[in-house]
Amino acid sequence: MSNKNPIGLFDSGIGGTSIWKEIHSLLPFENTIYLADSKNAPYGVKSKEEIIELSIKNTEFLLNKNCKLIVVACNTATTNAIKELRNKYTVPFIGIEPAIKPAANKTSTHTIGILATKGTLNSELFHKNVENFSGVKIIEQIGHGLVQLIENGDINSDEMTLLLESYIKPMLEQNIDHLVLGCSHYPYLIPQIKKIIPPYVKIIDSGEAVAKQTEYILNKYNLNNNSTEKSYQHFYTNSDSKVLKGILNNNYSVFEKDF
Ligand code: DGL
């Protein structure tokens, strides 16, 4: 294993690029390979068994490209499958979970909202995490339909605005002062969400924390790429690449491949 080997990331689709952006900005010398399993999105409505099967398929793809570390850039895959992945493979895995802790620690109204997929909110890992914050009221909301709209490139559509309003307004009525985005697709909705929430409601996502954890794990296992060569950033999708290219501002190599 060479330290020049890439960091691998996967998600059910394009959403995990929000995590990739944080990692690339913190660790610009690292090579990365991102896999968007858009053909199978959304994962959030699938069974735990299906999510594990897809996560194994994605991991095999990245290991065949010699990835030295894998970031599961999907809350749904992390909360349902990371234990199985860690048991099956020796490569280090980094997962992403809804950032309840920073919201729960900072809330003044003792009420926070979380928007995530059904698969994440119903997972055992998520329930265990929530148990740690019994003094805080946590309002859970499934973001039905949001991932599909983002995958279709309909981020700024009226349909998106209506869905977001229907999910967020009831939380505001219950006095939340923090809104946790528990899905890696949702940071792309922040401009939309800001039009719905008052300024005192803080939006929390996990991207920066995952990037810091990636840096920590690279250091811990002595896996940092110390080369001064220009790094490469490759993206693979098993669907039409148009929307993915768009959110990357057409700046990177995107390959369409059937996997
Ligand atoms: N980005 C995935 C997540 O973080 C979306 C899951 C889905 O495809 O439903 O949960």
Side-chain angles (χ1 to χ4, degrees):
M1 174 79 67
S2 152
N3 286 24
K4 286 186 189 172
N5 288 15
I7 294 174
L9 301 95
F10 77 82
D11 179 37
S12 62
I14 63 175
T17 54
S18 66
I19 308 296
W20 168 83
K21 282 178 184 171
E22 298 285 350
I23 290 176
H24 182 53
S25 118
L26 186 67
L27 305 163
F29 300 111
E30 293 294 337
N31 299 309
T32 65
I33 295 187
Y34 180 94
L35 183 162
D37 190 17
S38 293
K39 187 174 81 181
N40 294 304
Y43 280 13
V45 294
K46 295 190 193 304
S47 67
K48 183 175 170 71
E49 291 67 33
E50 285 174 298
I51 297 167
I52 292 173
E53 205 176 299
L54 291 167
S55 299
I56 288 175
K57 169 187 71 82
N58 297 337
T59 300
E60 298 278 343
F61 179 97
L62 294 170
L63 291 179
N64 282 333
K65 302 244 174 256
N66 296 319
C67 290
K68 60 184 177 183
L69 173 151
I70 292 181
V71 179
V72 182
C74 174
N75 292 258
T76 311
T78 300
T79 51
N80 284 278
I82 201 156
K83 197 169 133 204
E84 286 73 12
L85 295 175
R86 285 186 172 135
N87 285 341
K88 195 170 165 68
Y89 302 100
T90 51
V91 70
F93 283 90
I94 290 171
I96 163 169
E97 284 183 64
I100 295 174
K101 193 175 175 184
N105 285 346
K106 286 190 196 136
T107 177
S108 317
T109 60
H110 304 289
T111 313
I112 64 172
I114 163 153
L115 194 59
T117 69
K118 184 172 164 213
T120 295
L121 294 177
N122 287 345
S123 69
E124 207 184 309
L125 205 61
F126 176 75
H127 284 138
K128 269 200 193 137
N129 191 4
V130 162
E131 277 167 20
N132 297 324
F133 305 100
S134 51
V136 176
K137 188 170 168 194
I138 300 174
I139 301 168
E140 300 172 19
Q141 173 64 54
I142 297 173
H144 300 284
L146 300 179
V147 167
Q148 292 94 314
L149 285 176
I150 296 168
E151 288 289 321
N152 293 340
D154 292 328
I155 291 178
N156 295 311
S157 61
D158 290 345
E159 197 181 347
M160 180 65 87
T161 307
L162 288 172
L163 277 183
L164 285 174
E165 280 177 355
S166 73
Y167 300 150
I168 295 171
K169 282 188 173 167
M171 296 198 224
L172 295 174
E173 278 159 22
Q174 294 193 68
N175 213 13
I176 62 162
D177 61 358
H178 286 76
L179 176 63
V180 178
L181 303 183
C183 170
S184 58
H185 280 69
Y186 299 169
Y188 288 111
L189 303 176
I190 290 174
Q192 294 275 75
I193 293 173
K194 282 195 170 156
K195 290 182 197 156
I196 300 169
I197 58 172
Y200 66 84
V201 176
K202 297 274 168 296
I203 299 173
I204 311 262
D205 70 71
S206 322
E208 214 183 302
V210 173
K212 284 194 183 137
Q213 180 66 5
T214 304
E215 184 181 42
Y216 171 77
I217 295 293
L218 287 176
N219 284 331
K220 182 173 166 191
Y221 292 99
N222 217 354
L223 286 171
N224 307 70
N225 184 8
N226 298 318
S227 158
T228 49
E229 287 166 27
K230 188 175 160 24
S231 63
Y232 64 81
Q233 316 296 321
H234 289 170
F235 294 80
Y236 288 85
T237 175
N238 51 14
S239 185
D240 184 349
S241 57
K242 193 170 153 245
V243 183
L244 177 56
K245 282 179 179 157
I247 58 168
L248 297 170
N249 299 323
N250 292 310
N251 280 336
Y252 298 96
S253 312
V254 178
F255 306 98
E256 282 182 19
K257 203 171 154 69
D258 197 22
F259 49 81

